[in-house]
Amino acid sequence: MNIKQILEQSKLNKKNLCYDDPMCKHTSFKIGGPADVFVKINNIEELQEVLHIINKNKIPLTIIGNGSNLLVTDKGIRGIIAKVNLKEIKIENKGKDEIEIEVSAGVPLGLLAQKLLKEEIAGFEELSGIPGTIGGAITMNAGAHGKEIKDILKKVVVMDYNGNIHELKNEECEFVYRGSIFQKEKYIILSAKIILQKGKKQEIKEKMDEYAQYRKEKQPIEYPSAGSTFKRGEDFITAKLIDEAGLKGYKIGGAEVSEKHAGFIINSNKATAKDVIELTNYVKEQINEKFGKKINLEIQIVGEK
């Protein structure tokens, strides 16, 4: 049986299945070839069914959230692409101004930030403008304005590829700058518990507005991108070196080093994944040649090469 026949005989909701689905529809870069199968996962049982199918039939599986940190290759992705669409938020006051929030992996950070604002809960403002979901943010230990997701995280609930559920405490997640155990081990993030504090609505809103304005002024949010393309160096700011190398505005095909922020590569005119990959490689070569520094990608490249 082929993959379509296997899935049509499964317990999955057929309305949530799409075949040969262009991944440009599911990534903030608006780039990417077709996924053999794209499925939205709305509950734990559906995820376990997908895992049962891939294990039994040896089908490749790729898990995504909002696709805001992904570059999908032009040939697309083989096997099943599962979007974790779990979206619950539970708030519990633990006393002494400590508030515990249990949030599902598919909740966008911006949506959570608005909910916390409404409930007058502080401590998430710095992260409020990051595009992406809680699951994605934990996977890459996303951060902004001096705060990372690890700073507020208590524990993560995950599922292994056999369908078993585990809890990992913060220290078990092996957080580093823009990285975690979830980039190495086969775990699917289901939910997380974060610890925040009671705050004042006006002060929270002012901070969120300030960070949103900063993002609008400093980042090329008017163009499709996958956010910051390169990681910071240990002893240098990558965007600064790219700027000093005179690479702002440099283009290959429809991919361009942003004029507004040199750390972003944008899809300025119907870019292909090939354009973006060639441009990132060129930038890497130039920075190594001019400054003797090696720079690494922050974005993840997935799909058939």
Side-chain angles (χ1 to χ4, degrees):
M1 282 194 294
N2 64 32
I3 193 168
K4 186 170 182 179
Q5 289 169 326
I6 291 164
L7 290 169
E8 290 300 322
Q9 290 179 19
S10 73
K11 298 173 191 172
L12 292 171
N13 185 340
K14 306 309 178 289
K15 290 180 182 175
N16 291 336
L17 292 169
C18 293
Y19 300 98
D20 293 320
D21 203 24
M23 286 303 293
C24 57
K25 288 166 39 181
H26 303 292
T27 63
S28 58
F29 233 144
K30 306 296 182 198
I31 292 171
D36 287 347
V37 183
F38 184 89
V39 58
K40 269 189 185 177
I41 302 292
N42 294 320
N43 56 57
I44 300 296
E45 293 72 29
E46 287 178 355
L47 182 54
Q48 287 173 324
E49 175 70 0
V50 167
L51 291 169
H52 171 72
I53 291 164
I54 64 140
N55 288 329
K56 184 180 176 184
N57 299 283
K58 294 185 169 52
I59 297 169
L61 174 66
T62 305
I63 299 289
I64 70 166
N66 254 14
S68 57
N69 194 47
L70 287 184
L71 175 64
V72 177
T73 60
D74 299 315
K75 289 184 179 178
I77 310 178
R78 305 290 67 82
I80 297 173
I81 313 310
K83 177 183 170 74
V84 177
N85 205 39
L86 312 175
K87 289 190 173 175
E88 279 190 66
I89 301 172
K90 295 176 188 171
I91 297 171
E92 187 181 346
N93 197 325
K94 306 294 278 187
K96 293 184 181 177
D97 283 340
E98 188 179 275
I99 298 171
E100 187 175 273
I101 297 99
E102 186 175 346
V103 53
S104 298
V107 173
L109 271 65
L111 183 71
L112 178 59
Q114 290 301 322
K115 173 75 170 172
L116 297 173
L117 171 63
K118 189 178 175 185
E119 300 290 335
E120 299 193 80
I121 297 169
F124 196 78
E125 298 90 325
E126 294 88 345
L127 307 175
S128 61
I130 296 173
T133 59
I134 284 289
I138 293 168
T139 299
M140 67 173 292
N141 188 24
H145 308 288
K147 181 172 275 187
E148 294 176 320
I149 199 82
K150 72 172 176 61
D151 300 329
I152 58 171
L153 188 83
K154 184 178 181 182
K155 64 181 178 182
V156 184
V157 179
V158 301
M159 186 179 287
D160 64 31
Y161 273 48
N162 292 316
N164 303 310
I165 293 174
H166 311 267
E167 279 191 0
L168 298 181
K169 295 175 185 173
N170 184 308
E171 56 270 24
E172 295 176 294
C173 297
E174 299 178 13
F175 287 119
V176 293
Y177 172 69
R178 299 298 176 266
S180 71
I181 193 172
F182 307 110
Q183 292 172 333
K184 300 177 285 184
E185 300 292 334
K186 285 201 167 184
Y187 287 127
I188 300 162
I189 297 172
L190 303 178
S191 65
K193 282 191 178 176
I194 58 175
I195 303 294
L196 298 170
Q197 308 79 39
K198 198 70 183 164
K200 293 180 179 175
K201 192 168 190 176
Q202 189 57 35
E203 290 177 8
I204 296 166
K205 187 176 187 309
E206 283 173 6
K207 273 191 179 180
M208 283 173 61
D209 288 347
E210 180 190 332
Y211 294 133
Q213 186 61 30
Y214 175 89
R215 190 165 171 263
K216 189 177 178 182
E217 288 175 4
K218 305 288 185 183
Q219 297 180 7
I221 58 175
E222 64 273 23
Y223 287 99
S225 78
S228 178
T229 307
F230 302 97
K231 292 180 181 178
R232 283 191 173 205
E234 284 185 18
D235 59 349
F236 61 91
I237 298 169
T238 304
K240 190 168 180 287
L241 294 189
I242 296 170
D243 191 2
E244 288 174 8
L247 293 172
K248 271 187 175 179
Y250 189 87
K251 298 178 185 178
I252 291 181
E256 179 180 345
V257 178
S258 168
E259 294 270 14
K260 194 184 275 190
H261 191 307
F264 284 65
I265 285 178
I266 58 173
N267 178 0
S268 65
N269 185 22
K270 299 177 183 175
T272 63
K274 183 172 179 282
D275 294 340
V276 176
I277 291 165
E278 285 183 7
L279 184 53
T280 57
N281 288 338
Y282 179 78
V283 171
K284 283 181 184 179
E285 287 164 11
Q286 289 296 301
I287 299 309
N288 194 23
E289 194 179 297
K290 286 182 164 66
F291 305 102
K293 301 289 186 184
K294 288 190 176 179
I295 59 174
N296 298 304
L297 290 178
E298 187 170 312
I299 62 172
Q300 289 183 298
I301 301 173
V302 296
E304 189 181 343
K305 291 177 182 175

